[in-house]
Amino acid sequence: MKIKSLLLGSAAALFAVTGAQAADAIVVEAEPMEYVKVCDMYGNGFFYIPGTETCMNINGFVRSTYTHSETKRGITDTGSNSVVPAVNLSGVDTNDSSWTVRGRLNFDVRNETEYGTLRSELRLQGGDASAAGDQNVAIDRALISIAGFRLGYSDTYWTTNHGYGAGAPAINDGLYEFDQAIFFDYTATLAEGVSMTVGVQDSTGADASSPDLYVGFNASFGALTVAGTAIRDASADEWAYKGSAIMALGDSGWQLGGWYAKDGGNTSYVTAYLDPEVDTVWGVQLNGALSDNFSVYGVYSQGSGDAVLPAVIDADITAWAVGAIWAPVSGLSVQFEYSTQDTQADFANTAANTRVFDRTNDAFLVRVT
């Protein structure tokens, strides 16, 4: 009994001492963890910046493009005069290959205010030394928008209001023009699916002596979207006009689109990047998916008119492209494309003589994104 009492007493004393030591020990509590929360009000990929009500999306791509092209030139006499007009269409046949790389990083930041959604967009882009405009990493887009107002630098409204080649995913989408500008505009919603925009811009492809005024509309009616833009080139004191339409072909996933642009022959929006310059360009496109990871497309465009260059009395340019896009896994696509562009221009040397210039460029492209 005494031994039993002794053992019980010893156990109780040991428990009391151990409990006192545990009570006196310093316990370090873990800091509460900050979890990144999904922000689903603006679509997939957005998350809340920790500690704020601001949402951000970070995305981008890396792509590599290989191009092999062949250019052939020829001049045909239709009279006795053998004098070749002094224009910049002459040259030698070429057979070239190029390999370029581009990287792009996009930041899209949004939050709600009493005036609506405040949005800031920043795009950084760069590439290898052989890629025109991509030699160094630079700001390719910087935009602020709120309550219908937009201010900053990006692709122009002349381009974005009509989609890129009327929605076609072509690498070489023919005579469709691209340009960037510093701009300020306002878009008002007139009815469901119908909006109108007015603004001014300083285009990188135009004379920067004074800003250009533009106005346009965009309207969606079920499967059909139509858009129109008019822009005044201040340096040429002339208006340029563009219209486009894109239609979804039922539930097939295919779409058909077209666009048309015209000016008086002197603006920087229709003619400046063509050689020779023309005053009217138009195009059509068709694209759609053959399976979950394989799609195809075709694009055709044409330019025509009285060219601006000396001695050229008429010019016609045709371009088309066909291609396929294969996406073997999520986040990776391989694109194959064949394109061709043919230019013909008539030169009037004398009343009795005309020369026809012809230039054809064929290209095969492979792009991995």
Short mmCIF file of all heavy atoms in Angstrom, two decimals, residues 206-251:
data_model
loop_
_atom_site.label_atom_id
_atom_site.label_comp_id
_atom_site.label_asym_id
_atom_site.label_seq_id
_atom_site.Cartn_x
_atom_site.Cartn_y
_atom_site.Cartn_z
N ALA A 206 1.43 58.17 -89.97
CA ALA A 206 1.00 59.37 -90.68
C ALA A 206 1.87 60.55 -90.31
O ALA A 206 2.70 60.48 -89.40
CB ALA A 206 -0.47 59.67 -90.36
N ASP A 207 1.66 61.67 -90.99
CA ASP A 207 2.36 62.90 -90.67
C ASP A 207 1.93 63.36 -89.28
O ASP A 207 0.76 63.55 -89.02
CB ASP A 207 2.02 63.97 -91.71
CG ASP A 207 2.89 65.20 -91.57
OD1 ASP A 207 3.37 65.46 -90.46
OD2 ASP A 207 3.08 65.90 -92.58
N ALA A 208 2.91 63.54 -88.39
CA ALA A 208 2.59 63.86 -87.00
C ALA A 208 2.47 65.36 -86.75
O ALA A 208 2.51 65.81 -85.61
CB ALA A 208 3.66 63.28 -86.08
N SER A 209 2.32 66.16 -87.82
CA SER A 209 2.28 67.60 -87.64
C SER A 209 1.03 68.06 -86.91
O SER A 209 1.04 69.08 -86.22
CB SER A 209 2.36 68.30 -89.00
OG SER A 209 1.28 67.90 -89.83
N SER A 210 -0.07 67.32 -87.05
CA SER A 210 -1.31 67.67 -86.37
C SER A 210 -2.14 66.41 -86.19
O SER A 210 -2.01 65.46 -86.97
CB SER A 210 -2.09 68.72 -87.16
OG SER A 210 -2.35 68.25 -88.47
N PRO A 211 -3.00 66.36 -85.18
CA PRO A 211 -3.79 65.15 -84.94
C PRO A 211 -4.87 64.95 -85.99
O PRO A 211 -5.34 65.89 -86.62
CB PRO A 211 -4.39 65.39 -83.55
CG PRO A 211 -4.44 66.88 -83.42
CD PRO A 211 -3.23 67.38 -84.15
N ASP A 212 -5.26 63.68 -86.17
CA ASP A 212 -6.30 63.32 -87.12
C ASP A 212 -7.60 63.03 -86.37
O ASP A 212 -7.60 62.33 -85.35
CB ASP A 212 -5.89 62.08 -87.92
CG ASP A 212 -4.62 62.31 -88.72
OD1 ASP A 212 -4.32 63.48 -89.01
OD2 ASP A 212 -3.94 61.32 -89.04
N LEU A 213 -8.71 63.53 -86.88
CA LEU A 213 -10.02 63.32 -86.29
C LEU A 213 -10.65 62.06 -86.85
O LEU A 213 -10.55 61.79 -88.05
CB LEU A 213 -10.92 64.52 -86.59
CG LEU A 213 -12.42 64.39 -86.23
CD1 LEU A 213 -12.58 64.34 -84.72
CD2 LEU A 213 -13.21 65.54 -86.84
N TYR A 214 -11.31 61.26 -86.00
CA TYR A 214 -12.01 60.08 -86.51
C TYR A 214 -13.34 59.90 -85.80
O TYR A 214 -13.55 60.34 -84.67
CB TYR A 214 -11.16 58.81 -86.36
CG TYR A 214 -10.72 58.46 -84.96
CD1 TYR A 214 -11.50 57.65 -84.13
CD2 TYR A 214 -9.49 58.90 -84.47
CE1 TYR A 214 -11.07 57.30 -82.86
CE2 TYR A 214 -9.06 58.56 -83.21
CZ TYR A 214 -9.85 57.76 -82.40
OH TYR A 214 -9.43 57.42 -81.14
N VAL A 215 -14.25 59.22 -86.51
CA VAL A 215 -15.57 58.91 -85.99
C VAL A 215 -15.98 57.56 -86.56
O VAL A 215 -15.61 57.21 -87.69
CB VAL A 215 -16.60 60.00 -86.36
CG1 VAL A 215 -16.74 60.12 -87.87
CG2 VAL A 215 -17.95 59.74 -85.71
N GLY A 216 -16.69 56.77 -85.77
CA GLY A 216 -17.08 55.45 -86.26
C GLY A 216 -18.17 54.83 -85.44
O GLY A 216 -18.58 55.36 -84.39
N PHE A 217 -18.68 53.70 -85.92
CA PHE A 217 -19.72 52.98 -85.20
C PHE A 217 -19.44 51.49 -85.28
O PHE A 217 -18.70 51.01 -86.15
CB PHE A 217 -21.11 53.28 -85.78
CG PHE A 217 -21.37 52.59 -87.10
CD1 PHE A 217 -21.98 51.34 -87.14
CD2 PHE A 217 -21.00 53.19 -88.30
CE1 PHE A 217 -22.22 50.70 -88.35
CE2 PHE A 217 -21.23 52.56 -89.51
CZ PHE A 217 -21.84 51.30 -89.54
N ASN A 218 -20.04 50.73 -84.36
CA ASN A 218 -19.95 49.28 -84.34
C ASN A 218 -21.29 48.75 -83.86
O ASN A 218 -21.82 49.21 -82.85
CB ASN A 218 -18.82 48.82 -83.41
CG ASN A 218 -18.49 47.36 -83.59
OD1 ASN A 218 -19.26 46.49 -83.20
ND2 ASN A 218 -17.33 47.08 -84.17
N ALA A 219 -21.86 47.79 -84.61
CA ALA A 219 -23.19 47.28 -84.27
C ALA A 219 -23.24 45.78 -84.46
O ALA A 219 -22.75 45.26 -85.47
CB ALA A 219 -24.25 47.96 -85.13
N SER A 220 -23.82 45.10 -83.50
CA SER A 220 -23.99 43.64 -83.57
C SER A 220 -25.48 43.30 -83.61
O SER A 220 -26.25 43.79 -82.77
CB SER A 220 -23.34 42.97 -82.36
OG SER A 220 -21.95 43.17 -82.37
N PHE A 221 -25.86 42.48 -84.58
CA PHE A 221 -27.24 42.03 -84.73
C PHE A 221 -27.23 40.51 -84.81
O PHE A 221 -27.15 39.93 -85.88
CB PHE A 221 -27.88 42.63 -85.98
CG PHE A 221 -27.76 44.13 -86.07
CD1 PHE A 221 -26.78 44.70 -86.86
CD2 PHE A 221 -28.62 44.95 -85.36
CE1 PHE A 221 -26.66 46.08 -86.96
CE2 PHE A 221 -28.51 46.33 -85.45
CZ PHE A 221 -27.53 46.89 -86.25
N GLY A 222 -27.27 39.87 -83.64
CA GLY A 222 -27.20 38.42 -83.62
C GLY A 222 -25.85 37.93 -84.11
O GLY A 222 -24.81 38.25 -83.55
N ALA A 223 -25.86 37.18 -85.21
CA ALA A 223 -24.62 36.60 -85.75
C ALA A 223 -23.84 37.58 -86.60
O ALA A 223 -22.72 37.27 -87.02
CB ALA A 223 -24.96 35.37 -86.58
N LEU A 224 -24.39 38.77 -86.88
CA LEU A 224 -23.76 39.73 -87.78
C LEU A 224 -23.23 40.93 -87.00
O LEU A 224 -23.93 41.51 -86.18
CB LEU A 224 -24.76 40.21 -88.83
CG LEU A 224 -24.28 41.31 -89.78
CD1 LEU A 224 -23.15 40.79 -90.67
CD2 LEU A 224 -25.44 41.83 -90.62
N THR A 225 -21.97 41.31 -87.29
CA THR A 225 -21.37 42.52 -86.73
C THR A 225 -20.91 43.40 -87.89
O THR A 225 -20.20 42.94 -88.79
CB THR A 225 -20.17 42.20 -85.84
OG1 THR A 225 -20.61 41.41 -84.73
CG2 THR A 225 -19.53 43.47 -85.31
N VAL A 226 -21.33 44.67 -87.89
CA VAL A 226 -20.92 45.62 -88.93
C VAL A 226 -20.26 46.81 -88.27
O VAL A 226 -20.56 47.15 -87.12
CB VAL A 226 -22.13 46.08 -89.78
CG1 VAL A 226 -22.71 44.91 -90.56
CG2 VAL A 226 -23.20 46.72 -88.91
N ALA A 227 -19.33 47.45 -88.99
CA ALA A 227 -18.60 48.59 -88.44
C ALA A 227 -18.25 49.55 -89.56
O ALA A 227 -18.07 49.14 -90.72
CB ALA A 227 -17.34 48.13 -87.73
N GLY A 228 -18.14 50.82 -89.22
CA GLY A 228 -17.74 51.85 -90.18
C GLY A 228 -16.87 52.89 -89.50
O GLY A 228 -17.07 53.21 -88.33
N THR A 229 -15.89 53.40 -90.23
CA THR A 229 -14.97 54.41 -89.69
C THR A 229 -14.66 55.44 -90.76
O THR A 229 -14.46 55.09 -91.93
CB THR A 229 -13.65 53.76 -89.24
OG1 THR A 229 -13.90 52.76 -88.26
CG2 THR A 229 -12.71 54.80 -88.64
N ALA A 230 -14.63 56.70 -90.36
CA ALA A 230 -14.17 57.80 -91.22
C ALA A 230 -13.10 58.55 -90.45
O ALA A 230 -13.28 58.86 -89.27
CB ALA A 230 -15.33 58.73 -91.59
N ILE A 231 -11.98 58.82 -91.11
CA ILE A 231 -10.88 59.51 -90.45
C ILE A 231 -10.31 60.57 -91.39
O ILE A 231 -10.16 60.34 -92.60
CB ILE A 231 -9.78 58.51 -90.02
CG1 ILE A 231 -8.72 59.19 -89.19
CG2 ILE A 231 -9.18 57.78 -91.20
CD1 ILE A 231 -7.84 58.21 -88.41
N ARG A 232 -10.03 61.73 -90.84
CA ARG A 232 -9.49 62.83 -91.63
C ARG A 232 -7.99 62.91 -91.41
O ARG A 232 -7.52 63.17 -90.30
CB ARG A 232 -10.15 64.15 -91.25
CG ARG A 232 -9.63 65.35 -92.06
CD ARG A 232 -10.26 66.65 -91.59
NE ARG A 232 -9.72 67.80 -92.34
CZ ARG A 232 -8.59 68.42 -92.04
NH1 ARG A 232 -7.86 68.02 -91.01
NH2 ARG A 232 -8.19 69.45 -92.77
N ASP A 233 -7.23 62.68 -92.48
CA ASP A 233 -5.78 62.81 -92.45
C ASP A 233 -5.45 64.30 -92.55
O ASP A 233 -5.60 64.92 -93.60
CB ASP A 233 -5.16 62.04 -93.61
CG ASP A 233 -3.66 61.94 -93.51
OD1 ASP A 233 -3.03 62.90 -93.00
OD2 ASP A 233 -3.10 60.93 -93.95
N ALA A 234 -5.01 64.89 -91.44
CA ALA A 234 -4.78 66.33 -91.40
C ALA A 234 -3.68 66.75 -92.36
O ALA A 234 -3.74 67.83 -92.95
CB ALA A 234 -4.44 66.77 -89.98
N SER A 235 -2.64 65.93 -92.52
CA SER A 235 -1.52 66.31 -93.38
C SER A 235 -1.93 66.34 -94.85
O SER A 235 -1.40 67.13 -95.64
CB SER A 235 -0.36 65.35 -93.18
OG SER A 235 -0.73 64.03 -93.53
N ALA A 236 -2.89 65.47 -95.25
CA ALA A 236 -3.35 65.44 -96.64
C ALA A 236 -4.61 66.25 -96.84
O ALA A 236 -5.03 66.45 -97.98
CB ALA A 236 -3.60 64.00 -97.06
N ASP A 237 -5.23 66.71 -95.75
CA ASP A 237 -6.50 67.43 -95.81
C ASP A 237 -7.52 66.61 -96.61
O ASP A 237 -8.18 67.10 -97.51
CB ASP A 237 -6.33 68.81 -96.44
CG ASP A 237 -7.57 69.69 -96.25
OD1 ASP A 237 -8.35 69.41 -95.33
OD2 ASP A 237 -7.74 70.63 -97.03
N GLU A 238 -7.63 65.33 -96.21
CA GLU A 238 -8.47 64.40 -96.96
C GLU A 238 -9.04 63.33 -96.02
O GLU A 238 -8.42 62.98 -95.02
CB GLU A 238 -7.64 63.74 -98.06
CG GLU A 238 -8.40 62.88 -99.04
CD GLU A 238 -7.48 62.42 -100.16
OE1 GLU A 238 -7.17 63.23 -101.05
OE2 GLU A 238 -7.06 61.25 -100.13
N TRP A 239 -10.22 62.82 -96.34
CA TRP A 239 -10.87 61.80 -95.53
C TRP A 239 -10.60 60.42 -96.11
O TRP A 239 -10.50 60.24 -97.33
CB TRP A 239 -12.37 62.03 -95.47
CG TRP A 239 -12.76 63.17 -94.58
CD1 TRP A 239 -12.81 64.49 -94.92
CD2 TRP A 239 -13.16 63.08 -93.21
NE1 TRP A 239 -13.21 65.24 -93.84
CE2 TRP A 239 -13.43 64.42 -92.78
CE3 TRP A 239 -13.31 62.05 -92.30
CZ2 TRP A 239 -13.85 64.71 -91.48
CZ3 TRP A 239 -13.73 62.33 -91.01
CH2 TRP A 239 -13.98 63.63 -90.61
N ALA A 240 -10.50 59.43 -95.23
CA ALA A 240 -10.43 58.02 -95.60
C ALA A 240 -11.59 57.29 -94.93
O ALA A 240 -11.99 57.65 -93.81
CB ALA A 240 -9.10 57.42 -95.17
N TYR A 241 -12.11 56.25 -95.60
CA TYR A 241 -13.31 55.56 -95.11
C TYR A 241 -13.08 54.06 -95.14
O TYR A 241 -12.43 53.52 -96.04
CB TYR A 241 -14.52 55.91 -95.97
CG TYR A 241 -14.76 57.39 -96.12
CD1 TYR A 241 -14.21 58.09 -97.19
CD2 TYR A 241 -15.54 58.07 -95.20
CE1 TYR A 241 -14.42 59.46 -97.34
CE2 TYR A 241 -15.76 59.44 -95.33
CZ TYR A 241 -15.18 60.13 -96.39
OH TYR A 241 -15.40 61.47 -96.52
N LYS A 242 -13.62 53.38 -94.12
CA LYS A 242 -13.53 51.92 -94.07
C LYS A 242 -14.84 51.35 -93.53
O LYS A 242 -15.42 51.88 -92.59
CB LYS A 242 -12.37 51.46 -93.18
CG LYS A 242 -12.24 49.93 -93.10
CD LYS A 242 -11.26 49.49 -92.02
CE LYS A 242 -9.84 49.61 -92.49
NZ LYS A 242 -8.89 49.01 -91.53
N GLY A 243 -15.28 50.24 -94.13
CA GLY A 243 -16.45 49.50 -93.66
C GLY A 243 -16.12 48.02 -93.58
O GLY A 243 -15.26 47.53 -94.33
N SER A 244 -16.77 47.30 -92.68
CA SER A 244 -16.51 45.87 -92.53
C SER A 244 -17.74 45.15 -92.01
O SER A 244 -18.64 45.77 -91.42
CB SER A 244 -15.33 45.60 -91.59
OG SER A 244 -15.65 45.99 -90.26
N ALA A 245 -17.78 43.85 -92.23
CA ALA A 245 -18.86 43.00 -91.72
C ALA A 245 -18.32 41.61 -91.45
O ALA A 245 -17.49 41.09 -92.21
CB ALA A 245 -20.01 42.93 -92.73
N ILE A 246 -18.74 41.01 -90.36
CA ILE A 246 -18.37 39.65 -89.99
C ILE A 246 -19.63 38.90 -89.59
O ILE A 246 -20.42 39.40 -88.78
CB ILE A 246 -17.36 39.63 -88.83
CG1 ILE A 246 -16.10 40.41 -89.17
CG2 ILE A 246 -16.98 38.19 -88.48
CD1 ILE A 246 -15.11 40.52 -88.03
N MET A 247 -19.83 37.71 -90.15
CA MET A 247 -21.03 36.92 -89.84
C MET A 247 -20.64 35.52 -89.42
O MET A 247 -19.85 34.84 -90.09
CB MET A 247 -21.96 36.85 -91.05
CG MET A 247 -23.16 35.92 -90.83
SD MET A 247 -24.34 35.95 -92.18
CE MET A 247 -25.16 37.51 -91.85
N ALA A 248 -21.19 35.09 -88.28
CA ALA A 248 -21.03 33.70 -87.84
C ALA A 248 -22.00 32.84 -88.63
O ALA A 248 -23.18 33.18 -88.78
CB ALA A 248 -21.30 33.58 -86.35
N LEU A 249 -21.51 31.72 -89.15
CA LEU A 249 -22.33 30.84 -89.99
C LEU A 249 -22.99 29.78 -89.11
O LEU A 249 -22.52 28.66 -88.97
CB LEU A 249 -21.46 30.20 -91.07
CG LEU A 249 -20.72 31.19 -91.98
CD1 LEU A 249 -19.88 30.45 -93.00
CD2 LEU A 249 -21.68 32.14 -92.65
N GLY A 250 -24.09 30.21 -88.49
CA GLY A 250 -24.83 29.30 -87.62
C GLY A 250 -24.03 28.88 -86.41
O GLY A 250 -23.25 29.66 -85.86
N ASP A 251 -24.20 27.63 -86.01
CA ASP A 251 -23.48 27.09 -84.85
C ASP A 251 -22.26 26.27 -85.28
O ASP A 251 -21.71 25.50 -84.49
CB ASP A 251 -24.42 26.21 -84.02
CG ASP A 251 -25.59 26.99 -83.45
OD1 ASP A 251 -25.40 28.18 -83.15
OD2 ASP A 251 -26.69 26.41 -83.33
#
